């Protein structure tokens, strides 16, 4: 039980947040020294998600996700509630995700919620056809296109084939978190700059559009791709099986496994 809930906090201090016996502890990764510990006022139901300023932890009994102050020894800031007029079964038992300022989490009622943590208000919610068993995943996808403005003022965007990988592939886990972050930034930035420069040399006005996809599977036997910003469904695919595992995306493909033994490889942008 000691390491049931473990999460890395990606910042310059390179620390780990660990929950055991209802205590939240902050551990220095290199020395494994405990920097601080705080007893939680609630029973955690899933691993935490940490940002530079906050730690988000779902609660078993109160159908909500707590926000704790990462810079003040885990002091409680506020909470975000899973609520629906249609059902009372709003248990939050999956790991939340955070992409500033959006906090996204799912409930057993089949709802996915997105809160604006700056305004502390609900941005959007969507109800799938059944309880959600898999953790949600956010994927940053770079979409190259050429924009053309027509005489009537309309604009069309044409996809551009890309001969290099514009997406980040994880370096070995043996190196430190700080080094991984640096490699990520340099790899993505260099790939984009070189590729765009090549397009400009060929006289193409190519631009890169960053899309944040939210991927999740529901027990309605469907796999969903949302726009993480506004909650719009980009596409939906019926996989014919229960999904309990989080999706994994790489380059232009997202992979999802079902409990009946199938593995799907789907286009991020079909």
């Amino acid at each position: 039980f000691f390491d049931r809930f473990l999460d890395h906090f990606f910042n310059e201090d390179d620390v780990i947040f660990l929950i055991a016996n209802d205590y939240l502890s902050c551990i220095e990764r290199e020395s494994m020294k405990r920097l601080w510990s705080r007893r939680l006022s609630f029973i955690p139901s899933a691993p935490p998600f940490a940002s530079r300023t906050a730690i988000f932890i779902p609660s078993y009994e109160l159908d909500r996700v707590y926000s704790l102050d990462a810079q003040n020894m885990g002091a409680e800031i506020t909470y975000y509630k899973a609520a629906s007029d249609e059902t009372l079964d709003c248990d939050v038992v999956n790991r939340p995700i955070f992409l500033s300022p959006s906090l996204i989490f799912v409930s057993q009622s089949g709802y996915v919620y997105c809160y604006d943590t700056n305004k502390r208000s609900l941005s959007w919610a969507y109800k799938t056809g059944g309880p959600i068993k898999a953790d949600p995943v956010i994927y940053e996808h770079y979409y190259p296109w050429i924009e053309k403005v027509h005489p009537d003022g309309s604009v069309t965007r044409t996809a551009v084939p890309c001969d290099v990988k514009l997406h980040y592939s994880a370096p070995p886990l043996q190196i430190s978190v700080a080094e991984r972050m640096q490699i990520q930034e340099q790899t993505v930035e260099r790939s984009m700059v070189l590729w765009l420069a090549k397009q400009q040399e060929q006289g193409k006005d190519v631009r890169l559009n960053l899309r944040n996809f939210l991927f999740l599977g529901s027990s309605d036997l469907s796999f969903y791709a949302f726009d993480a910003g506004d909650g719009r469904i980009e596409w939906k695919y019926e996989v014919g099986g229960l999904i309990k595992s989080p999706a994994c995306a790489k380059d232009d493909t997202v992979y999802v496994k079902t409990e009946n033994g199938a593995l799907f490889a789907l286009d991020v942008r079909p």
Side-chain angles (χ1 to χ4, degrees), residues 179-217:
E179 289 174 317
R180 290 206 302 274
M181 289 185 65
Q182 185 176 12
I183 290 175
Q184 171 182 351
E185 294 171 355
Q186 292 177 348
T187 301
V188 174
E189 182 178 358
R190 181 171 175 79
S191 295
M192 288 190 296
V193 169
L194 292 178
W195 186 77
L196 287 174
K198 180 180 178 181
Q199 304 304 308
Q200 293 290 339
E201 290 176 358
Q202 297 175 356
K204 300 177 182 178
D205 185 19
V206 178
R207 306 181 185 184
L208 281 179
N209 181 29
L210 174 62
R211 299 288 301 278
N212 291 316
F213 285 92
L214 169 66
F215 294 127
L216 62 88

Side-chain angles (χ1 to χ4, degrees), residues 79-134:
Y79 63 82
Y80 302 91
K81 190 168 178 58
S84 169
D85 294 334
E86 301 177 14
T87 178
L88 297 177
D89 185 13
C90 296
D91 293 342
V92 182
V93 296
N94 293 91
R95 184 175 187 251
I97 50 177
F98 177 73
L99 182 65
S100 183
S102 298
L103 170 67
I104 298 174
F105 60 93
V106 300
S107 76
Q108 293 301 290
S109 64
Y111 271 91
V112 52
Y113 300 93
C114 177
Y115 278 89
D116 185 320
T117 57
N118 289 338
K119 300 177 181 178
R120 298 188 182 181
S121 61
L122 184 66
S123 298
W124 58 266
Y126 181 87
K127 190 178 190 308
T128 67
I132 300 174
K133 304 294 185 180

Side-chain angles (χ1 to χ4, degrees), residues 48-61:
F49 189 100
S51 73
R52 295 181 182 275
T53 57
I55 311 160
F56 301 100
I57 307 175
S59 167
Y60 260 123
E61 69 272 47

